[in-house]
Amino acid sequence: MEMIAAFDIGDKRIGVAFSDPFGEYAVPSDTYFRTGNFKVDVKAVAALAEGRGANKIVCGLPLNADGTESVQTQKTRRFIEALKAETSLPVECEDERYTTREARNDLNFLGVSVKKDKRKKAVDSLAAAYILETYLQKSKRRADAMKEEREDYDEENNIVELIDDEGNSLRYEHLMTFEYKGEWYCAFTPVSDAEEAEDDEEGDEVVIYHLVGGENDETLEPIEDDEKLDEVFAEFCNQYEDFEDADEAASLEPDADGE
């Protein structure tokens, strides 16, 4: 669960919005009226986020239409840097160009008729929600792209995810499935994030499982007997040499835990 707090930082008011507990959509919350005391305002904003149990803070960064920075940008950056020093929560910035204008237009479209002060509060909190919505959409696109990239990598490199008895997901490269004495076995080597990032070859550890069950209910079971494991591993090396370098196969060692 990741609740995110968002702030639209102005000279007089700060719009506030929060995501749902799963970090999927933004909800306008309230407007904080600045006191004129910079430190007090920073502490108050940090307390708003922490008090709602937020895991992260996103602040709107006002930029010119062409993306350059203005005096207001520098004021906002100063506030954001002070906020980072005040809270232990991660603080990120999101381009807030046009969010206030969009908030006003939406209020007009919806026919919201309120007093001037209340309308400003509604605009500020809605602008904060738009800032957060933009951030969430970008995060989702990045996550989808990373997922697609990983899936492509997994398919290209024969990477599979196995679930252990404790429910942990473990990533392995599938080396081969082979038959020995009428039974079938699967050989894997663990894949670490560092190895994947560097596109290294598989490590020097091999995990071999006994493939049991029918076509629709196959499961992988560890080989508990050490002598049988050594025997199956030797057969794996013999067969592995048929399509890999003999030196590489000889350098592999069975898992120390007896798998």
Side-chain angles (χ1 to χ4, degrees), residues 175-204:
L175 299 177
M176 66 180 299
T177 296
F178 60 99
E179 184 180 10
Y180 179 59
K181 292 185 176 180
E183 297 185 304
W184 288 90
Y185 300 88
C186 293
F188 305 92
T189 186
V191 176
S192 68
D193 291 337
E195 288 173 342
E196 182 176 341
E198 297 174 6
D199 199 24
D200 289 342
E201 296 295 330
E202 62 269 9
D204 59 358

Side-chain angles (χ1 to χ4, degrees), residues 29-102:
S29 177
D30 204 348
T31 296
Y32 172 80
F33 286 85
R34 299 188 65 165
T35 65
N37 186 313
F38 184 82
K39 291 184 178 180
V40 169
D41 292 340
V42 171
K43 287 181 179 291
V45 168
L48 282 172
E50 294 168 357
R52 285 287 294 269
N55 307 100
K56 183 186 296 182
I57 295 174
V58 174
C59 295
L61 191 65
L63 300 170
N64 294 320
D66 60 0
T68 59
E69 297 197 358
S70 64
V71 173
Q72 192 62 36
T73 309
Q74 297 305 315
K75 288 182 181 180
T76 305
R77 284 195 184 278
R78 178 170 173 258
F79 191 98
I80 291 171
E81 290 305 313
L83 184 59
K84 289 179 179 179
E86 179 64 31
T87 181
S88 60
L89 298 176
V91 181
E92 298 186 26
C93 298
E94 181 59 51
D95 185 355
E96 69 166 46
R97 279 178 289 180
Y98 312 120
T99 53
T100 300
R101 182 191 305 173
E102 290 174 0

